[in-house]
Structure formats: structure tokens, C-alpha cells
Amino acid sequence: DGGITQSPKYLFRKEGQNVTLSCEQNLNHDAMYWYRQDPGQGLRLIYYSQIVNDFQKGDIAEGYSVSREKKESFPLTVTSAQKNPTAFYLCASTLAGGSEQFFGPGTRLTVL
Amino acid sequence: EDQVTQSPEALRLQEGESSSLNCSYTVSGLRGLFWYRQDPGKGPEFLFTLYSAGEEKEKERLKATLTKKESFLHITAPKPEDSATYLCAVQGSNYKLTFGKGTLLTVNP
């Protein structure tokens, strides 16, 4: 079955730690995205990548980093510089030139 | 700056009671308006894309419509399994999606 997988489903981080969230897709989509969802707010774009080895900052990139070494994978690192990282993180993908973004199941990150 | 406002924030219906959700938007160069359904603790599930004013799309009990300023998601004779948060998003000339905060729909049996 084609789809987007995210792992882990739940992640706990201590103050000062970097953590990496995984996103993998087997849809042969070209573009991938990371969003953050907080209660009472719309999804906000963190980073996006339209091709391998290239990515751009979204609206709230500070404290996050990404890589795109393979078409199928777009991991997100939440660094210690992100002051309020507790949130629900969503990965999405779409075909090049496509419009509909398809989402993974999400990772809930909690800072202890 | 693209903006999306969804109303109401929450809507409670009885099973079989039809209603509509609203999505008002301002966007530079609309490339598409999207509706998603999101269940608690899960990722959004794609429902519809609308591209131009006057367009309509249907799926089971849901029907989405689009004007130059807003979109409606009509729910006909809803069932409890339709309970979810419904998200609206627009894609403008910069290809980015701007999301509204969503409408939490609860359908009581």
C-alpha cells in the first residue's frame, strides 16, 4: 500500500535535547512538507522540499532543521533552540506541480 | 498575506440534521481550495479540491462549493461517524497552503 509513514507516534524530549522525527513516503511524490499543529491554531509550515538535496524555510523554521538526501525521506530535527516544541507534527507530500497534499499520521512531541 | 477563516469554530448537530460549514478566504492568485477531515490524534484526510468559482464536488453526504470569497461544506443528513474537525486550506500563487483553524463537528445519535 502506498502512503506516508511517520515515526515515532509519540516522542518525549528533555530540555536541551535534539530529537529527529522520521517521515517516509512510497507514493513517488516529489515534494514533501513539515507542519506543526497546536490546539486552536491552523497548521503552520516549518520546512518544505520540492526536490532531493534542496529545501526551503516555511513560516516557522527557527529551531528546526531538515535534510532531503532521498526522494522518499524528509526527516525533521527539533533542536534545543526551539523554545516551545511541544506540538503535533505532520508530514505531507505531493507530486511536482500537484496541488493536493497528502498527510502522514503525525508525531506528538512532548517536552518533559 | 493569504488568510483563511473558518466558522463556526464548533458545531453540534443531531443525526440527520443537515448544515453547512463556512470557509472565508483572501488569497493572491487562487490555485486551489482544499477541504480535509481530521480525526483526533490523526493526520488530515484529503476530501476535495476546488479550483474556480462555481465549482462543486460531492462525496457521500458531503458537498463542497466555491465562490470568489468563500467555500461551503454542506453536510446532508449527517451520521455520528461524520464527527471530526474539518479543515479548509487555500493555495495561492506562491504554491504554499494556508490553513484555517478548523471547525469541530459533533453529530449526536
Side-chain angles (χ1 to χ4, degrees):
Chain A
D1 287 338
I4 303 173
T5 58
Q6 291 187 241
S7 62
K9 185 174 176 65
Y10 299 98
L11 185 57
F12 299 91
R13 193 194 91 168
K14 294 181 179 179
E15 294 282 350
Q17 274 186 337
N18 291 354
V19 291
T20 297
L21 284 59
S22 169
C23 177
E24 304 275 335
Q25 55 94 4
N26 61 4
L27 300 168
N28 201 31
H29 283 177
D30 304 280
M32 298 185 74
Y33 308 80
W34 275 106
Y35 292 90
R36 170 181 173 141
Q37 187 174 36
D38 295 281
Q41 295 197 39
L43 276 68
R44 292 182 290 168
L45 182 64
I46 304 172
Y47 268 98
Y48 63 103
S49 168
Q50 295 179 312
I51 57 172
V52 174
N53 292 323
D54 188 44
F55 48 83
Q56 288 78 40
K57 293 182 179 180
D59 300 318
I60 55 165
E62 184 175 352
Y64 300 98
S65 66
V66 294
S67 63
R68 186 88 187 275
E69 297 177 0
K70 299 188 299 182
K71 185 176 182 179
E72 301 79 16
S73 178
F74 191 40
L76 173 74
T77 296
V78 184
T79 75
S80 57
Q82 170 50 239
K83 299 306 179 187
N84 185 24
T86 294
F88 190 49
Y89 289 87
L90 290 159
C91 179
S93 69
T94 188
L95 288 167
S99 54
E100 297 89 358
Q101 292 185 14
F102 295 91
F103 286 83
T107 292
R108 185 164 300 280
L109 173 63
T110 303
V111 174
L112 301 175
Chain B
E1 182 178 333
D2 301 343
Q3 290 189 323
V4 175
T5 303
Q6 291 188 246
S7 62
E9 293 184 6
L11 180 62
R12 189 177 294 271
L13 300 174
Q14 289 298 122
E15 184 172 3
E17 179 187 2
S18 301
S19 188
S20 297
L21 312 183
N22 178 263
C23 172
S24 298
Y25 64 91
T26 57
V27 64
S28 174
L30 179 69
R31 298 187 62 83
L33 184 141
F34 307 90
W35 283 99
Y36 288 87
R37 170 194 170 124
Q38 186 175 26
D39 293 305
K42 296 189 176 181
E45 174 190 346
F46 170 75
L47 293 174
F48 303 109
T49 306
L50 301 168
Y51 293 103
S52 57
E55 189 175 1
E56 300 182 351
K57 288 192 177 174
E58 290 188 64
K59 179 180 180 181
E60 296 181 355
R61 295 176 292 282
L62 300 177
K63 178 180 177 180
T65 62
L66 180 65
T67 72
K68 289 186 178 180
K69 295 183 179 181
E70 57 191 350
S71 176
F72 292 93
L73 184 65
H74 306 278
I75 303 176
T76 302
K79 298 181 178 181
E81 52 262 42
D82 295 322
S83 297
T85 296
Y86 290 84
L87 303 175
C88 173
V90 295
Q91 183 181 45
S93 55
N94 62 8
Y95 289 86
K96 294 182 184 179
L97 289 190
T98 299
F99 283 84
K101 296 180 180 180
T103 293
L104 174 62
L105 174 66
T106 304
V107 182
N108 295 317

